[in-house]
Amino acid sequence: MSSNKVEGMRPQGGFLGSLRDALAAAGRDDGQRNQPILDCGKIEEARSVPLMIAEDRPVAEPPAIAATVLIGRDGTAALAPSAAEAARTSRGGTPNIPPIARTPVALDRRDDPVPTTRVLRRGSDVKPTEPDLSAARTQLIRGRPVVKRGEFERDPVVGWLVVVGGPGLGAFRPIFEGNNTVGRSASQRVPLDFGDDTISSEEQAYIRYDSAERCFLFVPNLAKTNIVSVNGKRPTGAVGLTGMDVIIMGRTQCVFVPFCGPEFDWSELPDAKT
């Protein structure tokens, strides 16, 4: 065979050239040499011709194939079959498609979650967060703790009035050592300022604690219009108070709860200074 015939059989333009050459190549691959081939509307016999290349013409390397990747609706990717494989499949053959990993392809990464790990490059203005070392660390106590006492920062509490009826239900007010004025004004030492306007603004009564005798006294102010009561009785002078006594002033009902008394007093603390 002359070199002109060989040159005429070589691909022109692409890897397989025309559609005729692609179909002819597919026919040679599957062993069917005498199958009719469609070429521009003509039917002719395909003969098996051995490939001969002139010795004076070097064989060129085939160009690289640009693979086409098909992406399905489910996000999987696969290679598209070539023209030869398409022709083989149309004649009932099995397509020879190289396997490809069926890994879903992310088409849009705008919905991807923000990564929790940050990578800092050299020269970046962002500085890593450093622990705050200015806060005092908790110290570990070894052995028996040593408690130091100095001066009282405020008047020591000796008892409480707990509201069990009327405005301010559930609230409490501390009672301090010495003489305590009771009224609805915030300036009182024991202010019952919960909205009961039947209680006098100032000095409705007095509650006293004597640290020497370790006892409590309730003293009503007889100059006030509204009368107070202790355990259902209206005192006209000082009366002693014991734990859980009920005191009514206006429409407010309180229970007396002592902290100091015969069993304990702040003066028993050896290092405490009043």
Side-chain angles (χ1 to χ4, degrees):
M1 181 179 296
S2 65
S3 61
N4 294 333
K5 290 184 179 182
V6 175
E7 182 178 358
M9 293 180 60
R10 288 184 178 179
Q12 300 294 330
F15 177 64
L16 295 178
S18 64
L19 178 60
R20 176 189 175 185
D21 297 332
L23 298 178
R28 288 194 299 270
D29 291 341
D30 56 10
Q32 300 178 2
R33 305 296 183 182
N34 297 320
Q35 296 295 332
I37 301 175
L38 179 63
D39 182 16
C40 299
K42 299 179 180 180
I43 304 299
E44 61 183 32
E45 290 289 327
R47 296 179 177 85
S48 175
V49 179
L51 179 62
M52 298 179 64
I53 302 176
E55 297 180 358
D56 57 344
R57 301 180 67 90
V59 179
E61 293 293 333
I65 303 176
T68 302
V69 179
L70 300 179
I71 301 177
R73 294 182 178 179
D74 57 351
T76 58
L79 290 176
S82 61
E85 297 299 338
R88 180 183 305 184
T89 305
S90 64
R91 293 195 298 269
T94 303
N96 185 18
I97 301 176
I100 187 173
R102 303 289 180 175
T103 304
V105 179
L107 301 181
D108 190 357
R109 295 187 177 275
R110 290 177 297 177
D111 298 333
D112 290 354
V114 179
T116 57
T117 303
R118 300 181 62 187
V119 179
L120 300 180
R121 303 181 181 276
R122 292 183 178 179
S124 176
D125 296 335
V126 181
K127 296 182 180 180
T129 304
E130 297 180 357
D132 185 8
L133 302 179
S134 61
R137 298 180 59 183
T138 303
Q139 300 296 326
L140 178 62
I141 299 178
R142 293 182 175 87
R144 186 173 182 178
V146 178
V147 179
K148 297 181 179 180
R149 297 183 180 89
E151 297 181 356
F152 286 102
E153 296 182 359
R154 63 195 67 182
D155 293 343
V157 176
V158 295
W160 300 271
L161 281 183
V162 182
V163 180
V164 296
L169 180 65
F172 67 93
R173 289 291 183 262
I175 301 172
F176 305 99
E177 187 174 354
N179 194 31
N180 298 268
T181 56
V182 183
R184 74 169 187 270
S185 174
S187 62
Q188 301 296 284
R189 204 174 187 193
V190 182
L192 299 178
D193 51 349
F194 304 113
D196 187 357
D197 55 3
T198 62
I199 299 176
S200 296
S201 178
E202 296 180 354
E203 301 177 355
Q204 175 71 72
Y206 306 91
I207 298 178
R208 298 177 181 176
Y209 175 72
D210 186 354
S211 59
E213 299 293 335
R214 297 191 182 185
C215 64
F216 290 87
L217 294 175
F218 179 83
V219 182
N221 189 347
L222 300 180
K224 300 299 181 179
T225 303
N226 293 324
I227 300 175
V228 299
S229 65
V230 178
N231 295 329
K233 298 180 180 180
R234 297 180 178 181
T236 57
V239 295
L241 289 177
T242 58
M244 303 308 292
D245 282 348
V246 178
I247 302 172
I248 298 178
M249 288 178 281
R251 299 187 180 93
T252 302
Q253 186 180 43
C254 300
V255 169
F256 169 67
V257 180
F259 176 66
C260 294
E263 298 180 356
F264 170 78
D265 185 78
W266 290 107
S267 59
E268 295 180 2
L269 300 178
D271 299 332
K273 297 179 182 180
T274 57

mmCIF file of all heavy atoms in Angstrom, residues 214 259-265 268:
data_model
loop_
_atom_site.group_PDB
_atom_site.id
_atom_site.type_symbol
_atom_site.label_atom_id
_atom_site.label_comp_id
_atom_site.label_asym_id
_atom_site.label_seq_id
_atom_site.Cartn_x
_atom_site.Cartn_y
_atom_site.Cartn_z
ATOM 1 N N ARG A 214 -28.165 39.688 126.311
ATOM 2 C CA ARG A 214 -28.484 38.759 125.224
ATOM 3 C C ARG A 214 -29.990 38.549 125.112
ATOM 4 O O ARG A 214 -30.484 37.424 125.074
ATOM 5 C CB ARG A 214 -27.771 37.424 125.405
ATOM 6 C CG ARG A 214 -26.249 37.515 125.371
ATOM 7 C CD ARG A 214 -25.622 36.130 125.295
ATOM 8 N NE ARG A 214 -24.167 36.199 125.299
ATOM 9 C CZ ARG A 214 -23.372 35.152 125.146
ATOM 10 N NH1 ARG A 214 -23.904 33.942 124.980
ATOM 11 N NH2 ARG A 214 -22.065 35.289 125.167
ATOM 12 N N PHE A 259 -30.992 35.388 115.832
ATOM 13 C CA PHE A 259 -29.725 34.733 115.541
ATOM 14 C C PHE A 259 -28.847 34.718 116.795
ATOM 15 O O PHE A 259 -28.220 33.697 117.108
ATOM 16 C CB PHE A 259 -29.007 35.451 114.396
ATOM 17 C CG PHE A 259 -27.657 34.891 114.089
ATOM 18 C CD1 PHE A 259 -27.505 33.613 113.587
ATOM 19 C CD2 PHE A 259 -26.517 35.642 114.318
ATOM 20 C CE1 PHE A 259 -26.251 33.095 113.311
ATOM 21 C CE2 PHE A 259 -25.256 35.136 114.047
ATOM 22 C CZ PHE A 259 -25.114 33.857 113.545
ATOM 23 N N CYS A 260 -28.773 35.831 117.459
ATOM 24 C CA CYS A 260 -28.039 35.913 118.723
ATOM 25 C C CYS A 260 -29.001 35.681 119.894
ATOM 26 O O CYS A 260 -30.215 35.784 119.757
ATOM 27 C CB CYS A 260 -27.359 37.271 118.875
ATOM 28 S SG CYS A 260 -26.035 37.563 117.664
ATOM 29 N N GLY A 261 -28.440 35.362 121.043
ATOM 30 C CA GLY A 261 -29.237 35.101 122.232
ATOM 31 C C GLY A 261 -28.414 34.376 123.270
ATOM 32 O O GLY A 261 -27.171 34.457 123.277
ATOM 33 N N PRO A 262 -29.070 33.649 124.155
ATOM 34 C CA PRO A 262 -28.344 32.945 125.216
ATOM 35 C C PRO A 262 -27.320 31.939 124.692
ATOM 36 O O PRO A 262 -26.315 31.671 125.344
ATOM 37 C CB PRO A 262 -29.455 32.245 126.002
ATOM 38 C CG PRO A 262 -30.684 33.058 125.734
ATOM 39 C CD PRO A 262 -30.541 33.512 124.319
ATOM 40 N N GLU A 263 -27.559 31.384 123.525
ATOM 41 C CA GLU A 263 -26.660 30.343 123.007
ATOM 42 C C GLU A 263 -25.504 30.908 122.200
ATOM 43 O O GLU A 263 -24.491 30.230 122.047
ATOM 44 C CB GLU A 263 -27.453 29.352 122.159
ATOM 45 C CG GLU A 263 -28.530 28.601 122.944
ATOM 46 C CD GLU A 263 -29.292 27.619 122.082
ATOM 47 O OE1 GLU A 263 -29.011 27.604 120.837
ATOM 48 O OE2 GLU A 263 -30.123 26.885 122.604
ATOM 49 N N PHE A 264 -25.640 32.112 121.681
ATOM 50 C CA PHE A 264 -24.560 32.679 120.869
ATOM 51 C C PHE A 264 -24.655 34.204 120.865
ATOM 52 O O PHE A 264 -25.754 34.781 120.872
ATOM 53 C CB PHE A 264 -24.619 32.172 119.428
ATOM 54 C CG PHE A 264 -23.676 32.911 118.504
ATOM 55 C CD1 PHE A 264 -22.320 32.620 118.500
ATOM 56 C CD2 PHE A 264 -24.151 33.921 117.670
ATOM 57 C CE1 PHE A 264 -21.452 33.314 117.673
ATOM 58 C CE2 PHE A 264 -23.283 34.608 116.843
ATOM 59 C CZ PHE A 264 -21.929 34.304 116.838
ATOM 60 N N ASP A 265 -23.463 34.820 120.850
ATOM 61 C CA ASP A 265 -23.366 36.266 120.676
ATOM 62 C C ASP A 265 -22.034 36.570 119.993
ATOM 63 O O ASP A 265 -21.056 35.829 120.149
ATOM 64 C CB ASP A 265 -23.438 36.993 122.022
ATOM 65 C CG ASP A 265 -23.454 38.496 121.823
ATOM 66 O OD1 ASP A 265 -24.523 39.036 121.471
ATOM 67 O OD2 ASP A 265 -22.392 39.121 122.012
ATOM 68 N N GLU A 268 -18.548 36.383 121.646
ATOM 69 C CA GLU A 268 -17.860 35.128 121.912
ATOM 70 C C GLU A 268 -16.698 34.872 120.944
ATOM 71 O O GLU A 268 -15.822 34.068 121.251
ATOM 72 C CB GLU A 268 -18.846 33.962 121.838
ATOM 73 C CG GLU A 268 -19.922 34.009 122.924
ATOM 74 C CD GLU A 268 -20.862 32.827 122.803
ATOM 75 O OE1 GLU A 268 -20.645 31.978 121.908
ATOM 76 O OE2 GLU A 268 -21.816 32.725 123.597
#
